[in-house]
Amino acid sequence: MTVASLASAPIAPARRNLHRFANPGRFLRLAGRVLPWLAAPGVVLTAIGIVWGLFFSPADWQQGDAVRIMYIHVPAAWLASAGYAGLAACSVASLVWRHPLADLAAQEIGPPGAAFTALCLITGSLWGKPMWGAWWVWDARLTSVLVLFFLYLGHITLIRAFDNPERGYRAGAILALLGAVDLPIIKFSVDWWHTLHQGNTFSLTGAPHMYITMIYPLIFTTLGFSLVFAAIVTARLRAAVMERRIRALLLARAEERVA
Amino acid sequence: MTYLPYIIPSYALGILVPGGFGVAAFLRMRRAARRLAAIDPRRARGGDARGRDTRRGDAS
């Protein structure tokens, strides 16, 4: 194969689709259309789930009403991990395909991801105190989620620590990929070690270890929080793309004046 | 309810954290859109604020 034929070789469909949305104008239009469809159902589902979980779902026979904390804690825990998985996926897209929006997306996922991880840790602590008699234990599940929180903070700091943003993005992407090792540790920590934290309630093969009337509000809050999280990240990314264009325009004007 | 001192802060945080981030993101987006609309030359030429030059029928 000659160099000329390599240069004119068609781009693989997956890569072409991935790069279609690298165009800021196209991304902004798509994000603008998608955003209301993420935000509105997200808020409605979350509101239904919260009211259902707080007032209408049954109390647990052992834990009593403290089990209602689950309807906040579990979606926050899911999004802590899912957000970091998204961060790692953006890092792959940045390092492998050099996707222009991947770095910005990783930058914008970090703060809400860290906030939801903190929410998971705090609500877990508020649930643990009445159930275990302690605000915190150095349990494998709790500790691995705390490590995830520090990974988020490290990523947020590292990506903004360089004068040259490209170097910050690259360092952040490498940290995000290395930190992704923590995700399976979080998931399987309750199987690999004896933990005070309860085991997995849901599995792909078995029936859930939970009463069905508790599962419904949990599904509502989990779906609602997920859509709200997606809406937050989309809105932040949309703002970041516009801010980048503003910076570029102001820089071009400044250069024109100097010239 | 014995556990109210634990339940109420959990739900308050569960509403405030996503709500706060959502409102902040929306305000940041609106501020950026207004600023871009004010300085983007393509808008002044008849395009829109998002970098699309409508004169040429540019869809990208």
Side-chain angles (χ1 to χ4, degrees), chain A:
Chain A
M1 191 178 275
T2 63
V3 174
S5 65
L6 270 175
S8 61
I11 302 169
R15 193 177 167 189
R16 194 170 53 225
N17 287 335
L18 194 70
H19 278 264
R20 272 184 65 201
F21 299 106
N23 180 311
R26 185 175 285 156
F27 169 78
L28 287 176
R29 278 195 301 283
L30 178 75
R33 277 202 292 267
V34 166
L35 199 51
W37 294 99
L38 292 173
V43 169
V44 170
L45 288 174
T46 304
I48 292 171
I50 282 177
V51 171
W52 195 342
L54 199 52
F55 299 110
F56 300 108
S57 73
D60 185 67
W61 70 281
Q62 268 184 323
Q63 301 187 32
D65 285 309
V67 78
R68 297 181 198 283
I69 296 172
M70 169 181 74
Y71 303 117
I72 303 293
H73 175 72
V74 172
W78 147 249
L79 282 169
S81 291
Y84 200 87
L87 198 65
C90 288
S91 302
V92 171
S94 165
L95 291 173
V96 177
W97 294 296
R98 301 270 175 188
H99 194 283
L101 288 181
D103 291 322
L104 274 185
Q107 185 178 325
E108 298 307 328
I109 289 172
F116 276 86
T117 311
L119 181 64
C120 165
L121 288 167
I122 294 168
T123 52
S125 188
L126 286 164
W127 196 1
K129 179 62 180 167
M131 293 301 106
W132 302 337
W135 294 105
W136 180 264
V137 286
W138 292 101
D139 171 281
R141 172 60 70 84
L142 277 69
T143 308
S144 53
V145 175
L146 184 65
V147 169
L148 184 74
F149 179 61
F150 290 139
L151 283 167
Y152 269 120
L153 293 186
H155 184 268
I156 292 167
T157 311
L158 194 61
I159 213 165
R160 291 162 176 82
F162 294 87
D163 288 333
N164 179 358
E166 293 303 319
R167 289 182 67 192
Y169 289 142
R170 173 156 284 224
I174 292 167
L175 175 70
L177 281 181
L178 291 176
V181 172
D182 194 37
L183 295 180
I185 295 176
I186 291 172
K187 166 76 178 129
F188 296 110
S189 57
V190 288
D191 302 323
W192 292 342
W193 293 284
H194 291 290
T195 57
L196 197 54
H197 192 283
Q198 69 174 65
N200 292 323
T201 304
F202 298 98
S203 68
L204 289 174
T205 50
H209 304 157
M210 191 191 286
Y211 196 54
I212 192 76
T213 48
M214 290 177 169
I215 293 177
Y216 288 136
L218 187 59
I219 289 172
F220 270 82
T221 50
T222 305
L223 273 176
F225 268 55
S226 302
L227 289 172
V228 167
F229 186 85
I232 289 170
V233 171
T234 306
R236 287 174 63 92
L237 185 53
R238 204 162 181 262
V241 169
M242 286 191 275
E243 285 162 359
R244 190 164 67 173
R245 174 139 180 82
I246 291 167
R247 273 195 302 276
L249 285 169
L250 291 177
L251 193 65
R253 278 188 189 181
E255 281 172 356
E256 273 175 21
R257 276 183 201 151
V258 169

